[in-house]
Amino acid sequence: MVRRSTPVLWCVIQPWICQAASITTLPKPDDSVVLPRQVNGDVSSSTFLRRAYHASAVLGGRVYIDGGEVSYYSGTDITFQYSNSLLSIDLTEDWTSDSVRFDSTSKPTGAANLKGGGIWVDETQGVLYTGFAGIKSDFGNNANQPQGLWSFKPDGKGGGTWQNLNSTADKMFTEKLRPFQGKIASGNGVGYFLGGTQAFFPRPPRLLCFKSNFDGPVSGLLTYDFASKKAINTSVSLASTQGSEQFGSMLYVPNFGKKGILVSVGGYIGDLQTDDSNARLASMDTARIFDIDSNAWFEQSTSGTSPRPRQEYCMAGVASDNQTYEILIYAGWGRTLGSVSVPFDDAYVLTLPGFYWTKAPYTARNPRHALSCNGVGGGQIITIGGVDTTRDGPNPLYKVVFTTTDPFSQGIAVFDLATLKITDTYTANRTSYSPAPAIQSFYNDKGRKPESGFTNSQLESVFAHQKFKATNNSDPFPPPTPSSPPTPSDSSSPSPSGSTDPSSSSKAGPIAGGVVGGVAAIAAAIALGYFLARRRTKKKGLSEEGEQHQEQQQQQQQQSPQQGQQQVVQETKWQPGGYEPYSGGGGVEAPYTDGNGNGYSGDRLYQHQQVHELPPHHVVHEMPERQNVSEMPERQNVSEMPERQNVSEMPERQNVSEMP
């Protein structure tokens, strides 16, 4: 339950807040360049800069991207807008980040365009749900977005059908203000939303220095049953968080537990008290597990090299052919902009059921946050977007992180769990995935349990129910078919049909049986000889095929450094498998064309930090070093900014008990 607090006159008690929100060194906005709304989220690759605060999900052989904000060049100026279309990328064809094509589907009137939102996926019916979470953008015309829940039924070709569900869905989607920046997952016919933030009341006239409503953390787990169309908000029985988790990610893992589990790591823990003294980044040394079958929460200790606490990272997982489940944690930030954020450009893999962390071996150079990522088969995880965490002013802080060119072409990259490397190439129809040696060695040495053991016997029994396919060589994107929830792997096979009543047998049975038995013996002998001959031939063929495959890999390795040389906005692109050296923020900053931003993002205040000299650059192993961008604009020192003080009192928060 959210505890109530006393509202304060922020502009009176802390006048520097209003000053920071109004002072700007930007030129006067050019109204001819500021667009009323972004008609299409598919920005040309030649002008694209950044994409962030969107949501993405995979369904039926496509990854869908909804909402969020983008920046791009308009001549020599930068335009900031929010996306007004649903994008998708075809996963049934090979592509690189240079060649990938975005298919754009327009939204009907009334469908919200939100940042900090999410997508629920109903794989049984083949439907996406949007509009249940998010907040309006500060970019463009800063338009209010209508309440309501929408569904999208893909047609398999990049298009589909939108449907407004306000007349049939739970009334909370139309009668309650939608939360945003919570942890979102879906599976087993249910959508989940954990924690998040919510705007509780419109800003009063005395606080006109702020553009957005006041907001604060909310607690609890919201569940929406796709079949019954009922939404329920339940409390979270974890003393460490009370369910008030924000700015992070959560995964539905179907491979453990009778009905699957939810896994939550990282993020920001909002303080439900009145003084914010307990607000903090969540430690990555502990994972939070929700068993769907028993409605029970657990906390499990992890081992290995764990990531530093962070928020607004991306998280995705893939099941392996070794009956393990690997979860990627990539990028994010520690709530401080500037060069101190460079180390957050790292990637870690948490493997289940061992709860063991492995750090991907590469040099951090280009940190980003507010991105998304999705598992797409064969151990591949697509990463989408992210803003430049190294940019820290003195211009409006929310916009400045959008002003550099993304080193990933079109904001797209692929992380390979099998090699623990980032590349620019996606390979379709990869159905088999084996864990990297660094991960597999843990299970070889420690077994299939956490090093410290499971928290208790109940959690251990949850992980005792394992559901993995006998082989991963199947369609990675099967068509939606109505089915019941998955059952444990030790379930019995279906009974054969067409059985015969024993009473109908005749006296001729023994004679027929003898004849059939003799024929069967002869057939078995012939089959055995054929099998042995085929085995020798196949073994020889596989040996030759393996040598050919090895030669092809060597040729690809020799050719790969030649990829990605096309220039965009006078900047050399990131090389596959590696990272560019830090070049003062990752791109060239251009004059602004839109003066709406004021440093306050609506859901957070960015923290200033004076820019420090960076450590020497390092070249990624076996990868060519990228050239630094010349003639970078000189950063202005932000040390003259007034010192910020923590506001000890929070605005009044809504009681969570009012949620249905």
Side-chain angles (χ1 to χ4, degrees):
M1 179 179 294
V2 176
R3 294 171 174 82
R4 308 181 70 86
S5 61
T6 304
V8 294
L9 300 178
W10 283 24
C11 292
V12 176
I13 298 177
Q14 300 289 351
W16 63 266
I17 296 179
C18 292
Q19 295 173 2
S22 59
I23 294 178
T24 178
T25 59
L26 299 180
K28 183 178 180 180
D30 183 358
D31 294 337
S32 64
V33 179
V34 179
L35 305 177
R37 58 197 286 127
Q38 174 60 39
V39 176
N40 192 332
D42 182 13
V43 178
S44 171
S45 60
S46 62
T47 61
F48 172 82
L49 290 177
R50 295 278 174 171
R51 182 187 308 279
Y53 295 104
H54 54 274
S56 61
V58 173
L59 177 64
R62 284 184 174 268
V63 57
Y64 291 89
I65 306 169
D66 183 48
E69 298 167 326
V70 294
S71 61
Y72 55 93
Y73 276 106
S74 298
T76 59
D77 298 328
I78 294 179
T79 297
F80 306 87
Q81 281 290 351
Y82 58 87
S83 174
N84 187 37
S85 61
L86 179 69
L87 305 180
S88 68
I89 298 174
D90 188 0
L91 298 176
T92 63
E93 299 179 354
D94 297 348
W95 45 257
T96 67
S97 56
D98 283 321
S99 65
V100 63
R101 185 185 77 249
F102 292 84
D103 292 313
S104 181
T105 302
S106 60
K107 290 184 176 182
T109 302
N113 305 300
L114 305 166
K115 68 173 183 178
I119 301 175
W120 283 332
V121 180
D122 184 352
E123 293 184 345
T124 300
Q125 299 299 324
V127 172
L128 302 175
Y129 293 91
T130 68
F132 58 88
I135 192 172
K136 69 176 184 178
S137 171
D138 289 330
F139 290 172
N141 58 359
N142 192 28
N144 290 319
Q145 300 298 321
Q147 293 284 122
L149 184 68
W150 287 76
S151 69
F152 178 77
K153 180 77 171 180
D155 60 7
K157 302 178 182 179
T161 304
W162 288 95
Q163 182 178 1
N164 184 287
L165 304 178
N166 290 349
S167 61
T168 58
D170 195 288
K171 296 300 182 183
M172 69 152 291
F173 295 112
T174 57
E175 297 177 354
K176 301 288 185 181
L177 290 177
R178 59 169 64 92
F180 58 97
Q181 293 292 14
K183 295 188 173 185
I184 298 169
S186 55
N188 202 35
V190 178
Y192 301 92
F193 185 92
L194 176 64
T197 307
Q198 193 169 42
F200 293 114
F201 52 85
R203 73 176 189 269
R206 61 181 179 273
L207 298 176
L208 293 179
C209 64
F210 288 108
K211 293 173 53 187
S212 304
N213 296 334
F214 277 109
D215 52 70
V218 294
S219 65
L221 178 66
L222 172 68
T223 61
Y224 179 66
D225 189 290
F226 301 145
S228 67
K229 300 178 175 54
K230 298 297 182 182
I232 301 175
N233 192 47
T234 59
S235 60
V236 176
S237 57
L238 290 176
S240 61
T241 68
Q242 300 183 53
S244 60
E245 302 187 32
Q246 306 167 294
F247 308 114
S249 300
M250 180 173 64
L251 280 183
Y252 170 75
V253 180
N255 306 89
F256 301 101
K258 294 180 179 179
K259 296 182 180 179
I261 61 174
L262 300 180
V263 179
S264 172
V265 293
Y268 189 74
I269 308 302
D271 187 10
L272 300 179
Q273 305 295 332
T274 59
D275 57 1
D276 281 342
S277 60
N278 292 323
R280 66 200 182 279
L281 291 170
S283 171
M284 294 284 194
D285 294 333
T286 301
R288 294 167 292 284
I289 310 297
F290 179 69
D291 177 38
I292 297 175
D293 181 60
S294 62
N295 291 319
W297 282 94
F298 305 90
E299 290 187 303
Q300 174 63 48
S301 298
T302 63
S303 61
T305 305
S306 61
R308 67 181 64 194
R310 63 191 64 199
Q311 68 179 46
E312 293 182 322
Y313 51 89
C314 82
M315 178 176 173
V318 177
S320 78
D321 56 12
N322 193 43
Q323 296 192 350
T324 62
Y325 192 93
E326 276 68 59
I327 298 174
L328 171 70
I329 299 291
Y330 172 55
W333 66 313
R335 299 179 70 85
T336 301
L337 297 173
S339 61
V340 295
S341 67
V342 171
F344 286 92
D345 177 32
D346 50 14
Y348 294 80
V349 177
L350 178 67
T351 180
L352 306 181
F355 287 91
Y356 178 79
W357 287 106
T358 300
K359 187 179 187 298
Y362 65 81
T363 303
R365 286 192 176 93
N366 295 282
R368 63 185 61 224
H369 64 275
L371 69 161
S372 68
C373 54
N374 304 94
V376 290
Q380 299 174 104
I381 294 178
I382 296 179
T383 72
I384 305 171
V387 290
D388 186 354
T389 318
T390 64
R391 307 298 287 178
D392 64 347
N395 294 320
L397 291 176
Y398 187 71
K399 283 189 174 181
V400 74
V401 295
F402 281 87
T403 59
T404 60
T405 303
D406 196 322
F408 297 159
S409 181
Q410 303 190 74
I412 302 295
V414 179
F415 187 90
D416 191 338
L417 283 170
T419 62
L420 301 182
K421 292 183 178 180
I422 295 180
T423 179
D424 66 345
T425 302
Y426 167 75
T427 304
N429 301 318
R430 274 180 53 177
T431 57
S432 179
Y433 152 63
S434 298
I439 297 174
Q440 186 58 49
S441 63
F442 169 81
Y443 291 103
N444 295 339
D445 297 339
K446 305 294 184 180
R448 293 181 60 82
K449 294 183 180 180
E451 285 195 74
S452 60
F454 284 102
T455 300
N456 53 42
S457 59
Q458 185 179 357
L459 181 58
E460 185 172 5
S461 66
V462 170
F463 278 85
H465 291 273
Q466 301 185 10
K467 302 180 289 293
F468 290 88
K469 294 180 181 179
T471 175
N472 285 332
N473 298 321
S474 58
D475 186 358
F477 310 111
T481 53
S483 61
S484 58
T487 56
S489 57
D490 57 357
S491 59
S492 59
S493 302
S495 301
S497 58
S499 59
T500 305
D501 187 349
S503 62
S504 63
S505 61
S506 66
K507 295 180 181 181
I511 300 175
V515 174
V516 172
V519 174
I522 296 173
I526 296 174
L528 178 60
Y530 177 77
F531 170 77
L532 293 176
R534 287 281 295 173
R535 184 178 182 183
R536 287 192 296 269
T537 304
K538 184 177 182 181
K539 184 176 182 180
K540 180 179 179 180
L542 287 175
S543 177
E544 295 174 353
E545 182 181 354
E547 293 175 358
Q548 295 176 1
H549 181 67
Q550 185 176 4
E551 292 177 358
Q552 292 176 359
Q553 284 185 331
Q554 293 175 354
Q555 294 176 1
Q556 291 176 357
Q557 290 175 357
Q558 294 174 358
Q559 297 174 359
S560 61
Q562 301 175 1
Q563 300 176 1
Q565 297 298 322
Q566 178 184 355
Q567 291 188 350
V568 175
V569 198
Q570 300 179 353
E571 221 181 329
T572 305
K573 289 186 179 179
W574 154 81
Q575 296 290 342
Y579 278 82
E580 61 170 350
Y582 176 78
S583 56
V588 179
E589 184 175 351
Y592 293 91
T593 64
D594 185 342
N596 289 339
N598 54 23
Y600 181 73
S601 68
D603 47 63
R604 77 192 62 76
L605 285 169
Y606 283 95
Q607 299 183 21
H608 283 283
Q609 176 119 358
Q610 184 173 351
V611 177
H612 300 282
E613 184 178 356
L614 293 174
H617 297 158
H618 299 281
V619 180
V620 178
H621 182 60
E622 296 182 349
M623 290 303 302
E625 182 176 2
R626 184 188 171 191
Q627 298 179 357
N628 289 330
V629 179
S630 60
E631 300 181 1
M632 291 295 295
E634 182 179 357
R635 282 179 175 251
Q636 301 182 20
N637 196 305
V638 298
S639 59
E640 299 178 2
M641 292 294 293
E643 182 179 358
R644 295 191 171 185
Q645 303 175 9
N646 291 330
V647 180
S648 60
E649 298 187 52
M650 289 292 294
E652 183 175 359
R653 298 172 177 164
Q654 181 177 344
N655 194 308
V656 78
S657 62
E658 298 178 5
M659 296 289 292

